[in-house]
Amino acid sequence: LPSTLVTARHVAARLASTAARPARAMLRVAMEEVRVAKLTARPGMDPEGWGSAGLASVPVEAVADEAAAQAWLLAPDTISAADSDAEYFENGWEERGEPVIVQDACSSWPAMEHDAWMPAVLAARFEGASFECGEAPEEEASALVTIESFWEYCQFQQDDDPLYLFDGTFESSAPELEEEYSAPSLFRNDLLALLCEGTDDPDARPPWRWLLVGPTRSGSFPHVDPLGTSAWNASVHGRKWWVLFAPGTPEDFIKAGIVDAGGEPGRDAPHGAAAASSAAEELASAAKGDKDSEAHAPDGTPSASRWFIRVLPKIRAAVHAAQSGDLPGAPAWLREARVFEFIQEEGATVFVPSGWHHAVLNVSPGATVAVTQNFASPTNLPVVLAALEKEHPEMALALRAKLSKRTTESAP
């Protein structure tokens, strides 16, 4: 039977099985799994450090709603998938390198029917299946946790930076999920998919899709997607707080809220020498991953929640002051900065253009569930090919051959 027709059966069966097990025993099992996953993902983090900043007391969803409601903020255009086609999207946003929010792009997915991807339902449907969470140190095994234990953790955690289920091989743990969503038609021109033609090798192309299950306050620190790819992110359950920075925005401003003159510190820095000195100290601290950096956890790991709560208000204030004329001497890049801040509602899909820094925070109670894919299109292909040639030369060679063959076969 289709998975959406057996959802209720899975939940009923799980409720029956859990009723026979003491709740405390189940919680003990879940917390032990999570403890091991935390040690794997963040071996340098003291157990007490996970909640040392007390960010669990911050009502992040209310803070996000209040912040994003400010009328002066930039937000992406919103279009309807039902009223748009690939050509309209490419001409209107992709070719200009502009983010956009797409409504109804995933409304017909089986994942959206009968709450099939609601966290509690996923825990019931795939009980015993393990998924990747966190980021293990290089060359070490990924942190794994069963979906039911992770859901228990999501409901009770008080961590500043909770573990984030971010699995790029979810089809091996839960193959049914692969059949319950598909790339929205606006984004189906994925040229990297050519690398998978004629092979079953999952590593024929770079990592490209992920299942995301994130408890409140989990998220992604500001970053640019790899290899010059663009991305789409569809929220199946829950809400996300987004910030995007147009290419050319200084990275130290993005990551630490530092306003420097863009080449001449002190002369154009709007807050004078004292602020410039303070900014330099913060930048050095951030670069080292110092525990004293506002945007880093005690073990030096970049912290999405700290960035949203502590650094983003500085960024927002600096941009608003510079662009409203209240910051004499503000550097030109700040007066012209394009920073988008908004809430992604459940069922919405966000398009992130190639080269845009972006940060995301999950703000819904319990957990937010999403799926995301990175892709190469004719618009960003030159950038992707250049990046592939540096990092994966054999893939670049194979892709050029596939593109050449496709061009030859389509010629009249």
Side-chain angles (χ1 to χ4, degrees):
L1 290 174
S3 60
T4 51
L5 298 181
V6 297
T7 296
R9 186 181 303 171
H10 276 100
V11 175
R14 175 161 169 75
L15 288 173
S17 67
T18 56
R21 287 179 281 172
R24 288 184 180 178
M26 289 176 55
L27 191 57
R28 279 199 300 271
V29 170
M31 291 303 100
E32 176 59 18
E33 274 194 53
V34 169
R35 185 188 69 82
V36 173
K38 285 182 172 182
L39 284 173
T40 304
R42 307 269 292 274
M45 175 71 97
D46 184 283
E48 299 299 320
W50 285 85
S52 61
L55 298 185
S57 64
V58 177
V60 291
E61 188 167 27
V63 170
D65 284 332
E66 182 178 354
Q70 297 178 71
W72 66 271
L73 287 173
L74 290 177
D77 293 335
T78 297
I79 63 175
S80 168
D83 300 328
S84 309
D85 58 19
E87 184 178 3
Y88 177 69
F89 159 70
E90 289 162 6
N91 293 338
W93 291 272
E94 188 179 27
E95 289 185 1
R96 293 188 292 116
E98 291 286 319
V100 67
I101 300 170
V102 185
Q103 301 291 359
D104 305 319
C106 56
S107 58
S108 62
W109 289 356
M112 297 292 292
E113 298 174 4
H114 308 294
D115 294 325
W117 283 25
M118 206 168 100
V121 175
L122 290 176
R125 291 176 61 195
F126 302 107
E127 184 173 6
S130 293
F131 294 83
E132 296 181 5
C133 62
E135 293 184 12
E138 209 169 322
E139 299 181 0
E140 293 191 19
S142 299
L144 296 174
V145 65
T146 58
I147 188 67
E148 67 272 18
S149 289
F150 191 74
W151 172 231
E152 293 282 351
Y153 165 71
C154 289
Q155 296 173 83
F156 300 111
Q157 60 84 20
Q158 296 289 299
D159 294 338
D160 299 323
D161 295 290
L163 287 174
Y164 194 179
L165 192 154
F166 208 104
D167 195 314
T169 58
F170 62 88
E171 70 280 2
S172 61
S173 301
E176 298 96 320
L177 297 180
E178 199 171 12
E179 304 302 320
E180 295 176 5
Y181 86 99
S182 59
S185 59
L186 302 185
F187 314 121
R188 285 185 180 168
N189 194 5
D190 181 7
L191 298 176
L192 285 173
L194 293 173
L195 292 171
C196 299
E197 290 183 353
T199 179
D200 294 326
D201 182 4
D203 297 322
R205 67 178 291 175
W208 61 290
R209 63 177 177 182
W210 294 266
L211 172 70
L212 316 176
V213 183
T216 306
R217 294 181 306 284
S218 64
S220 300
F221 193 75
H223 65 285
V224 174
D225 283 342
L227 301 173
T229 55
S230 300
W232 59 264
N233 180 304
S235 182
V236 179
H237 176 82
R239 309 168 76 222
K240 294 173 177 285
W241 185 5
W242 284 77
V243 183
L244 294 94
F245 297 85
T249 309
E251 192 165 348
D252 50 348
F253 178 67
I254 293 171
K255 295 187 175 181
I258 295 168
V259 178
D260 207 340
E264 296 189 44
R267 193 185 77 174
D268 292 334
H271 302 300
S277 174
S278 174
E281 291 172 5
E282 173 63 19
L283 177 57
S285 179
K288 292 187 299 181
D290 229 13
K291 66 181 181 180
D292 295 326
S293 170
E294 287 187 310
H296 287 70
D299 65 342
T301 302
S303 163
S305 59
R306 286 171 171 82
W307 184 87
F308 271 89
I309 293 168
R310 296 175 174 176
V311 177
L312 179 56
K314 294 182 181 180
I315 292 172
R316 194 187 300 121
V319 170
H320 186 44
Q323 297 184 354
S324 62
D326 293 334
L327 198 60
W333 65 261
L334 184 58
R335 295 195 301 271
E336 299 164 4
R338 301 181 67 235
V339 182
F340 291 74
E341 185 176 349
F342 61 97
I343 303 296
Q344 178 188 16
E345 301 293 348
E346 183 174 305
T349 301
V350 175
F351 166 67
V352 181
S354 171
W356 282 64
H357 274 87
H358 52 285
V360 189
L361 199 71
N362 298 305
V363 298
S364 290
T368 298
V369 180
V371 62
T372 185
Q373 290 189 181
N374 287 41
F375 65 96
S377 69
T379 299
N380 64 6
L381 180 62
V383 178
V384 172
L385 276 171
L388 278 176
E389 285 169 349
K390 287 183 179 179
E391 299 187 35
H392 304 282
E394 69 294 343
M395 288 186 187
L397 189 64
L399 183 56
R400 288 188 183 280
K402 297 271 190 180
L403 290 166
S404 177
K405 180 182 177 182
R406 192 174 78 159
T407 300
T408 301
E409 290 175 347
S410 62

